[in-house]
Amino acid sequence: MKAKARFLIAIAVLGLLMTGPFVVTTFLIWVEMQETERKQLLDLLLSRLPIGTLMTLFGFAIGVGVLHNLFKQYVEGLRGMAEQLRLMLGANRNFRVKLQGPPEVQKVAQAANDLAAQRDALIDDVETRIAEANASVEAEKNRLAALMSELAQAVVVCNLDGRILLYNNRARLQFKALSQGPTSAAGGALIGLGRSIFSILEKNQIEHSLEIIRQRLIGGKSALANFVTTTRGGQLLRVQMVPVLSVAGDEGEPAMGGFVLTVDNITRTLEEEARRDNALHSLTEGSRAALGSIRAAVANLIDYPDMDQELRERFVKVVDDEASRMSKRLDQTMNEFADAMKTRWPLEDVLAMDIISAAQRRIEDKLKLPTKTEEVDDSLWIKADSFSLVFALVFIAERLQDHYQIRDLRFRTVCEGKLAYLDLIWIGQAISSETFYSWEMETMQALGETSSLSLRDVIDRHGGEIWYQREKAAHRAFFRFVLPVAVPVTEVADERSTGRPEYYDFDLFKFEDKSIDLDRKLSELTYTVFDTETTGLEPSNGDEIIQIGGVRIVNNRLLKQEIFNQIVDPERPLKPESIPIHGITEDMVRGQPNIDIVLPGFHAFCEETVLIAHNAAFDMRFLQLKEERTGIRFTQPVLDTLLLSAVVSPNQESHKLDALLERLGISINTRHNALDDALATGEVFLKLLPLLEEQGIVTVRQALEASEKTYFSRIKY
């Protein structure tokens, strides 16, 4: 009955509207008016018009009000529902239409939700079947990714335009170490998916090597090229290039789809070789004159056996002095050789805990000696030859068990700056200095195996030391190994990372060189999503940037390993009320680089990409105000996820980042940190892309034009 009543009222109102254009115009004006304007109009009419006219107008007003209410419930409600349906179909399949409005509208919403549930069941079934079919292919990709990650050499794969398609962890760390200035300090690097290898290596050398490879392929020879190049920082790199062969060309000749580079930094090796050559030269040339003097003195002593005693003593002293100088020169050369051999020994970056675990397993399995750990830092990395170091630990354990009948062994690690202490602890009788010295110098034997090294050799190989110490109060003693601390080759995985490392993308072989073209598809471009934290909300009144966070989107993937994250010294006090929001304190900004240093690094990080931010006008205003001071201008296109959300969902109440995250089904751990907000904004942008495409917005130009038509684009800072 209620539905029929609303229908009859609607018919009546429509009948009133058919009396003439005046009522239609009145209705449209009434809808557009503000509440205060409506009240003022009513007051004016009541004071000026006769009662009959007022009654007529009152009837019209009732009709207009009823129609406005029906318009809001049905027309606007259905528009909002349509936006929610598009959201559910495209960006967030877990989203459901809210059951609100008249019963008829709610029934439509419920039916849409039921259909969505059925669709999700079908999609899940299809995705399960696809996943099963692709499981073997994905496993191969993961095995290849793992293999590349563990290679000791830096490996970079590029297409023929020099764009980086793949790279392993060694390459990331090596090129990060080569990077100069604030980019390195902010966690950025010279390497990244989609970036040009020519920013690191000379383009002419690579093109020359490619031509050599092409000629060798044509001649049926081994397709390989080598060259040595110098980085901008003066480091020497030895590069080997091999082709990535694709389908044969028209004439049956193998065609290249790209190339693989293996890169070694040989700067230190060449420096060591130069020092060794200088030592040899000093030994040979420096000894030549001394040998001449000795030979002359000996010849005189032989030829004149009856010479005066004083003269004989002078010749003998010449021989003694020259021999002494030669001995010192020889000792010095040998020391330099020993240092060179030490640096050339292949020490690896390993977790100290891995060394201890390996030693524990051998000691417990073979010696049946219980072991424990105490105060072991699981995150401590050392540079070590793991085999010889584990053998040394087992050697000491066996000696202690055989000679002192110890009941158990304990391991402990301590880090002091660039040195790591690995302690081997036991309870029981003390050992003498003579025993310790004999163990240190004898050839090691343990578990029926013999090593060619002594304990001292192992220590010298690591450039470290070993000593024996008593803990008298605890009736304990320990051997302490002093070892060099290392930065880990494989960094601990970021909590944001899942699946394969972000610096692999086996789908990028079709990636082409793309400049920023406003008419290119949104899905084809590379983006930098960024956010800033500031001292306040008024850039024009002196507020400053205190953090910049950025992350790249390549091939429609958010690369969570390729980030820019730098705290900035604002060179002014922070506002106390802003600290609880962003969590950055005065101590955190003290000693950090200022904006003059950070902004050039961020500009380089954003090179050849479209910028994305949420409420971008705010962040861009801070950057624009620094143009005169730093000389840095950001001229690339800027897309705003706030405006894009208003484009695809104009009837939604809120377009704040938190509301978007909830609406699009995106969950993040923290907010109001520049990097975390940039990552969240990147996720939002990728969810908005299919919704924009549904509205025919597929290029950057179309996205910018649509954004400019929204209400929010008028906001200025």
Side-chain angles (χ1 to χ4, degrees):
M1 293 297 294
K2 291 182 179 179
K4 290 182 178 179
R6 280 196 294 270
F7 178 74
L8 292 174
I9 292 172
I11 294 296
V13 173
L14 289 173
L16 289 171
L17 290 176
M18 292 175 65
T19 58
F22 170 75
V23 178
V24 176
T25 305
T26 302
F27 168 71
L28 295 175
I29 293 174
W30 183 264
V31 170
E32 293 294 327
M33 292 175 67
Q34 300 292 330
E35 197 66 36
T36 55
E37 294 175 335
R38 293 174 185 170
K39 186 175 183 305
Q40 291 174 359
L41 178 60
L42 288 174
D43 292 341
L44 178 63
L45 293 175
L46 290 172
S47 62
R48 298 293 179 88
L49 296 178
I51 188 65
T53 306
L54 286 173
M55 292 297 293
T56 303
L57 290 175
F58 183 69
F60 280 126
I62 292 175
V64 169
V66 171
L67 185 61
H68 178 262
N69 187 51
L70 292 172
F71 180 85
K72 187 172 184 180
Q73 287 189 342
Y74 285 92
V75 179
E76 290 185 355
L78 290 172
R79 284 179 179 173
M81 184 189 299
E83 291 174 0
Q84 293 177 350
L85 286 172
R86 283 196 294 270
L87 181 68
M88 184 168 59
L89 290 172
N92 182 10
R93 54 179 286 197
N94 295 319
F95 185 82
R96 292 295 180 264
V97 178
K98 296 179 181 178
L99 301 180
Q100 57 188 15
E104 298 82 8
V105 176
Q106 292 188 31
K107 288 181 180 179
V108 174
Q110 185 59 55
N113 288 341
D114 293 341
L115 287 172
Q118 294 179 19
R119 179 208 60 173
D120 288 349
L122 291 173
I123 290 176
D124 290 340
D125 182 62
V126 172
E127 288 180 347
T128 300
R129 295 178 183 274
I130 293 174
E132 291 173 353
N134 290 336
S136 60
V137 176
E138 194 67 20
E140 289 296 327
K141 289 181 178 180
N142 287 332
R143 279 194 287 269
L144 181 56
L147 176 63
M148 287 187 64
S149 178
E150 295 303 321
L151 288 176
Q153 285 183 303
V155 180
V156 183
V157 182
C158 304
N159 67 4
L160 291 178
D161 294 318
R163 294 290 173 179
I164 297 172
L165 310 179
L166 314 171
Y167 61 94
N168 67 349
N169 196 46
R170 175 72 69 169
R172 183 171 68 88
L173 294 175
Q174 179 163 294
F175 287 117
K176 181 178 179 179
L178 292 174
S179 62
Q180 302 292 323
T183 303
S184 177
L190 295 172
I191 195 170
L193 291 180
R195 293 191 185 276
S196 176
I197 193 66
F198 302 137
S199 65
I200 306 170
L201 305 177
E202 286 292 334
K203 184 177 182 180
N204 293 336
Q205 287 183 311
I206 290 180
E207 289 179 342
H208 177 69
S209 297
L210 284 173
E211 185 59 33
I212 291 174
I213 288 176
R214 288 191 185 96
Q215 295 301 322
R216 289 183 174 177
L217 286 173
I218 293 172
K221 299 178 181 178
S222 175
L224 181 70
N226 295 279
F227 62 89
V228 175
T229 185
T230 306
T231 67
R232 295 174 183 174
Q235 300 289 303
L236 285 172
L237 303 179
R238 180 169 53 215
V239 183
Q240 183 178 87
M241 177 189 292
V242 294
V244 176
L245 299 180
S246 58
V247 180
D250 296 335
E251 300 178 1
E253 297 173 354
M256 280 194 294
F259 52 88
V260 180
L261 302 174
T262 54
V263 184
D264 287 314
N265 188 340
I266 60 173
T267 307
R268 185 174 180 181
T269 302
L270 292 179
E271 290 174 350
E272 291 296 336
E273 289 179 355
R275 282 196 289 269
R276 185 181 62 196
D277 292 342
N278 288 334
L280 287 172
H281 183 269
S282 174
L283 180 63
T284 54
E285 293 301 318
S287 300
R288 193 184 303 277
L291 285 172
S293 299
I294 291 173
R295 186 181 295 112
V298 170
N300 282 313
L301 289 172
I302 294 173
D303 292 341
Y304 302 101
D306 299 329
M307 71 172 57
D308 182 69
Q309 183 63 29
E310 182 179 353
L311 185 59
R312 175 180 293 275
E313 290 177 356
R314 288 171 58 186
F315 279 120
V316 170
K317 190 173 186 312
V318 168
V319 173
D320 182 60
D321 291 344
E322 294 297 338
S324 177
R325 278 193 286 269
M326 284 185 64
S327 177
K328 290 180 180 178
R329 190 176 294 112
L330 182 61
D331 289 341
Q332 181 181 354
T333 304
M334 289 304 298
N335 288 334
E336 292 178 4
F337 264 118
D339 291 339
M341 289 299 294
K342 197 179 298 179
T343 58
R344 290 172 63 189
W345 188 263
L347 301 181
E348 297 179 349
D349 296 353
V350 295
L351 277 168
M353 189 62 214
D354 289 344
I355 297 289
I356 292 172
S357 298
Q360 283 182 291
R361 284 194 297 271
R362 299 198 70 185
I363 293 170
E364 291 178 354
D365 293 345
K366 303 297 184 181
L367 300 179
K368 307 303 179 184
L369 181 65
T371 65
K372 298 178 182 179
T373 59
E374 58 179 57
E375 301 176 27
V376 172
D377 184 355
D378 293 340
S379 62
L380 176 61
W381 288 78
I382 60 175
K383 295 190 76 69
D385 169 22
S386 56
F387 177 78
S388 65
L389 186 54
V390 169
F391 195 92
L393 292 170
V394 176
F395 164 74
I396 293 177
E398 187 172 17
R399 285 290 182 276
L400 289 170
Q401 185 183 47
D402 291 344
H403 295 276
Y404 296 95
Q405 292 77 47
I406 62 172
R407 296 179 180 179
D408 63 26
L409 272 178
R410 302 189 181 194
F411 292 87
R412 176 176 61 197
T413 60
V414 181
C415 183
E416 294 288 347
K418 295 183 179 181
L419 296 178
Y421 300 150
L422 195 164
D423 296 343
L424 193 61
I425 310 168
W426 73 94
I427 298 174
Q429 183 180 350
I431 67 173
S432 65
S433 301
E434 292 78 8
T435 301
F436 171 58
Y437 180 76
S438 65
W439 289 4
E440 184 180 6
M441 303 308 296
E442 70 180 77
T443 300
M444 292 189 298
Q445 292 183 344
L447 307 179
E449 301 175 6
T450 301
S451 171
S452 61
L453 303 174
S454 67
L455 187 58
R456 172 47 55 186
D457 291 334
V458 174
I459 296 304
D460 290 343
R461 176 174 289 179
H462 289 78
E465 192 51 77
I466 184 172
W467 65 70
Y468 166 72
Q469 191 167 331
R470 291 278 294 165
E471 293 180 353
K472 294 183 179 179
H475 302 288
R476 304 197 310 177
F478 62 87
F479 284 115
R480 169 161 289 182
F481 288 77
V482 183
L483 303 166
V485 171
V487 176
V489 172
T490 304
E491 294 178 346
V492 177
D494 194 290
E495 62 180 0
R496 310 181 187 95
S497 306
T498 57
R500 290 201 310 270
E502 295 294 337
Y503 33 90
Y504 301 109
D505 192 336
F506 294 94
D507 303 319
L508 282 177
F509 266 102
K510 296 180 180 178
F511 186 87
E512 299 175 0
D513 189 5
K514 298 177 178 67
S515 57
I516 301 178
D517 184 346
L518 295 182
D519 293 316
R520 280 194 176 275
K521 290 185 177 181
L522 290 165
S523 58
E524 294 178 346
L525 291 169
T526 301
Y527 301 92
T528 297
V529 192
F530 79 101
D531 184 64
T532 61
E533 295 298 336
T534 60
T535 58
L537 304 178
E538 300 179 67
S540 300
N541 290 332
D543 279 320
E544 297 286 348
I545 295 173
I546 56 175
Q547 185 188 18
I548 301 179
V551 61
R552 301 176 71 236
I553 293 178
V554 180
N555 197 31
N556 290 327
R557 290 178 62 232
L558 194 66
L559 305 181
K560 298 178 182 179
Q561 294 283 0
E562 295 186 11
I563 61 171
F564 186 98
N565 186 23
Q566 181 62 55
I567 293 179
V568 184
D569 184 355
E571 300 178 322
R572 57 164 292 174
L574 302 181
K575 294 180 178 178
E577 62 271 18
S578 70
I579 293 176
I581 298 174
H582 48 63
I584 298 174
T585 63
E586 292 282 1
D587 290 338
M588 294 170 68
V589 301
R590 190 178 298 113
Q592 297 292 336
N594 64 12
I595 197 68
D596 299 335
I597 298 174
V598 174
L599 212 53
F602 180 62
H603 187 268
F605 182 81
C606 300
E607 191 175 9
E608 298 181 341
T609 66
V610 176
L611 294 178
I612 298 175
H614 190 81
N615 193 15
F618 177 79
D619 301 286
M620 291 304 298
R621 183 58 179 158
F622 277 95
L623 301 182
Q624 291 162 358
L625 288 172
K626 297 303 176 186
E627 288 180 0
E628 183 176 350
R629 171 175 168 175
T630 64
I632 299 296
R633 296 183 67 241
F634 293 83
T635 58
Q636 57 263 67
V638 182
L639 293 177
D640 190 336
T641 50
L642 185 149
L643 304 184
L644 295 177
S645 174
V647 168
V648 299
S649 305
N651 294 289
Q652 302 305 309
E653 294 182 1
S654 175
H655 300 285
K656 292 181 178 180
L657 185 55
D658 286 325
L660 280 177
L661 294 172
E662 181 180 358
R663 200 152 61 226
L664 295 171
I666 300 169
S667 59
I668 59 172
N669 296 327
T670 56
R671 284 271 282 106
H672 300 297
N673 170 284
L675 179 58
D676 289 327
D677 283 0
L679 288 164
T681 303
E683 298 279 9
V684 167
F685 176 73
L686 292 175
K687 291 277 191 178
L688 291 176
L689 282 179
L691 299 177
L692 291 167
E693 188 173 350
E694 286 181 9
Q695 297 192 15
I697 300 172
V698 295
T699 68
V700 177
R701 188 185 304 279
Q702 291 170 338
L704 291 171
E705 291 173 351
S707 299
E708 290 173 359
K709 296 176 183 178
T710 64
Y711 165 77
F712 297 99
S713 65
R714 306 170 196 168
I715 298 176
K716 304 294 181 185
Y717 291 92

